[in-house]
Amino acid sequence: MSTTDFKAVSYPLRVYSGKDALKNLPAELKRHQANRAFIVCGKTVSRRTDLIARMRRILGDACAGVYDEIEKDSTLPSVLKACAAARAAHADLVIGVGGGSVIQAARVVVILLAEKRPPHELITQYPASGPAVSPRLLAPKLPIINVLTLSTSAQNRGGSAVRDDNLDHRMEFFDPKTRPVAIFWDAEALLTAPPALALSTGCSVYWRSVMNLGSTSMNPLLEGVRLHAYRLASRALPRVMDPDDPAPRIELCAAAFLQNRDSDEGGAIVERHWVMRVTYAFATGLFICFPHIGQGEANTALTGTVLRRLGVRDADAMARLAQGLGVWDDSVPLARAPLRAADHLDQFFAGLGMPTRLRELDLPREGLIRVLENSLKNFNADPKREFVLERELLHDVLLQAW
């Protein structure tokens, strides 16, 4: 069903894509009157590729410094060190170079540079009762430029997650002022990522595009965004491991970019179905509790089981999802829709060499209780704290996914 009652917003942003896209960096700095750009990245991209050296050559004296030790899942110690380095360099613009962890870390660096309170007072709070609460972060923020090496939905968001091993959940920051002023899908930069990593992150983009097919009420703008994101991800994912072809990686970047238009075009978290919300929360808990697990692998290992167990809760949504995948129509009972979608996706992911069960992820079965507890504090998946009331069921679903 389509609705014509909606609100859409747009944010100022420029996207540069293709061969030699990074040559536009100096123009972006000039546009924002910046002359002390500080680069935030990880060790691999800095020390095993020529990308950061290339960016230094392009930026010249406008490069104020580089912090290249952001760790997987944006660990709090590495983010704090990056912030201190950016402050010492008197940065007036921050450039995040990498995948989701680095892009999110760059946003938190900008938040910590501006806000005067301790980090743990700036994150989403989870009271013992009632919904989660995200503090308002009102201080002006430095402009951010994101240079992607992987397709990631983090590229044009205002929310960021940081891992603190002293907490039982992620630190969640939200500030729309940390949306980037520019994004670069540079062909050479995207080819620096190993094919297996490009596949893993690409699976996350594809997974979300599939979940979005289950929407039962979309306005015309949202429908166009979601359908085209699925089309792009579907055709790009099987080709993303080609180490010499940047096109499928750019298409996956475009799909992820479009997916983030959801909230801007009128989509809402509360409208998302249980399969999407639970899989997302479980997957997040998995890669937070077990850092060797990627988000893509977590999504593919969980989706089939969650569809089979929880799909019945949103029957119409699962019918649309399965219909979008081409595995269901009105001649088949509605209850079969999530089962057919689950079988199809398990077969598709397995054909790509991705896991379809949790036992394939090299983690102890007893570790699933940690994953469950982490999943119960995930604002994006469960802003109203509904999962707490379903603890036993969700634990059983995790065990079934094993």
Side-chain angles (χ1 to χ4, degrees), residues 13-141:
L13 168 71
R14 295 191 181 190
V15 176
Y16 298 90
S17 177
K19 182 177 173 58
D20 294 326
L22 286 176
K23 289 184 177 179
N24 294 285
L25 272 173
E28 275 301 305
L29 265 64
K30 183 177 180 180
R31 192 163 71 91
H32 295 282
Q33 300 179 328
N35 52 29
R36 297 195 62 79
F38 189 82
I39 295 174
V40 175
C41 64
K43 293 179 182 178
T44 300
V45 73
S46 174
R47 305 177 192 184
R48 297 185 185 178
T49 78
D50 183 55
L51 178 55
I52 300 303
R54 178 184 166 209
M55 291 178 61
R56 278 184 175 274
R57 292 193 295 269
I58 292 171
L59 291 169
D61 293 339
C63 181
V66 176
Y67 179 85
D68 68 353
E69 296 188 7
I70 294 296
E71 297 172 323
K72 184 180 181 294
D73 302 326
S74 317
T75 61
L76 180 59
S78 67
V79 171
L80 292 175
K81 291 176 183 177
C83 180
R87 181 177 287 112
H90 303 289
D92 58 8
L93 180 145
V94 172
I95 303 177
V97 184
S101 294
V102 168
I103 299 304
Q104 294 186 77
R107 285 200 286 269
V108 179
V109 165
V110 166
I111 288 172
L112 298 181
L113 286 172
E115 302 290 341
K116 304 306 180 185
R117 289 177 287 168
H120 289 84
E121 294 182 12
L122 305 175
I123 62 175
T124 299
Q125 306 295 316
Y126 290 89
S129 61
V133 179
S134 291
R136 298 188 68 183
L137 309 180
L138 301 178
K141 304 299 186 296

Side-chain angles (χ1 to χ4, degrees), residues 26-339:
E28 275 301 305
L29 265 64
K30 183 177 180 180
R31 192 163 71 91
H32 295 282
Q33 300 179 328
N35 52 29
R36 297 195 62 79
F38 189 82
I39 295 174
V40 175
C41 64
K43 293 179 182 178
T44 300
V45 73
S46 174
R47 305 177 192 184
R48 297 185 185 178
T49 78
D50 183 55
L51 178 55
I52 300 303
R54 178 184 166 209
M55 291 178 61
R56 278 184 175 274
R57 292 193 295 269
I58 292 171
L59 291 169
D61 293 339
C63 181
V66 176
Y67 179 85
D68 68 353
E69 296 188 7
I70 294 296
E71 297 172 323
K72 184 180 181 294
D73 302 326
S74 317
T75 61
L76 180 59
S78 67
V79 171
L80 292 175
K81 291 176 183 177
C83 180
R87 181 177 287 112
H90 303 289
D92 58 8
L93 180 145
V94 172
I95 303 177
V97 184
S101 294
V102 168
I103 299 304
Q104 294 186 77
R107 285 200 286 269
V108 179
V109 165
V110 166
I111 288 172
L112 298 181
L113 286 172
E115 302 290 341
K116 304 306 180 185
R117 289 177 287 168
H120 289 84
E121 294 182 12
L122 305 175
I123 62 175
T124 299
Q125 306 295 316
Y126 290 89
S129 61
V133 179
S134 291
R136 298 188 68 183
L137 309 180
L138 301 178
K141 304 299 186 296
L142 294 182
I144 296 175
I145 291 174
N146 290 330
V147 177
L148 302 194
T149 60
L150 293 162
S151 57
T152 173
S153 60
Q155 62 181 296
N156 55 320
R157 283 183 173 174
S160 304
V162 169
R163 193 178 92 223
D164 180 357
D165 292 335
N166 295 314
L167 296 179
D168 63 353
H169 62 287
R170 294 191 300 176
M171 299 177 70
E172 297 167 324
F173 297 82
F174 178 74
D175 188 343
K177 297 186 295 300
T178 62
R179 284 177 179 251
V181 297
I183 297 175
F184 286 78
W185 303 334
D186 180 86
E188 186 177 338
L190 288 166
L191 288 177
T192 62
L197 187 55
L199 174 65
S200 175
T201 58
C203 280
S204 290
V205 174
Y206 172 80
W207 172 85
R208 185 174 169 193
S209 75
V210 170
M211 294 297 106
N212 282 342
L213 293 176
S215 177
T216 56
S217 178
M218 293 185 284
N219 68 62
L221 294 178
L222 190 59
E223 183 177 11
V225 162
R226 289 182 171 178
L227 293 180
H228 191 50
Y230 172 69
R231 184 162 51 241
L232 286 170
S234 297
R235 77 186 188 197
L237 188 58
R239 302 180 288 122
V240 75
M241 292 189 70
D242 186 335
D244 301 313
D245 184 5
R249 302 188 185 202
I250 290 175
E251 289 182 350
L252 283 165
C253 286
F257 178 89
L258 289 175
Q259 288 169 358
N260 280 344
R261 294 290 306 168
D262 256 26
S263 57
D264 299 343
E265 305 290 14
I269 291 175
V270 295
E271 297 172 349
R272 296 174 188 168
H273 49 76
W274 274 84
V275 171
M276 182 178 191
R277 293 169 57 205
V278 170
T279 304
Y280 175 81
F282 282 169
T284 301
L286 278 166
F287 66 74
I288 290 297
C289 296
F290 301 98
H292 71 280
I293 298 174
Q295 187 173 14
E297 290 86 346
N299 284 333
T300 65
L302 288 161
T303 300
T305 300
V306 180
L307 270 165
R308 295 181 182 98
R309 289 298 308 275
L310 299 181
V312 67
R313 291 193 167 198
D314 299 286
D316 290 339
M318 294 302 98
R320 289 184 64 89
L321 187 154
Q323 191 170 37
L325 291 172
V327 296
W328 183 87
D329 59 38
D330 291 339
S331 66
V332 180
L334 192 63
R336 298 291 302 170
L339 306 181

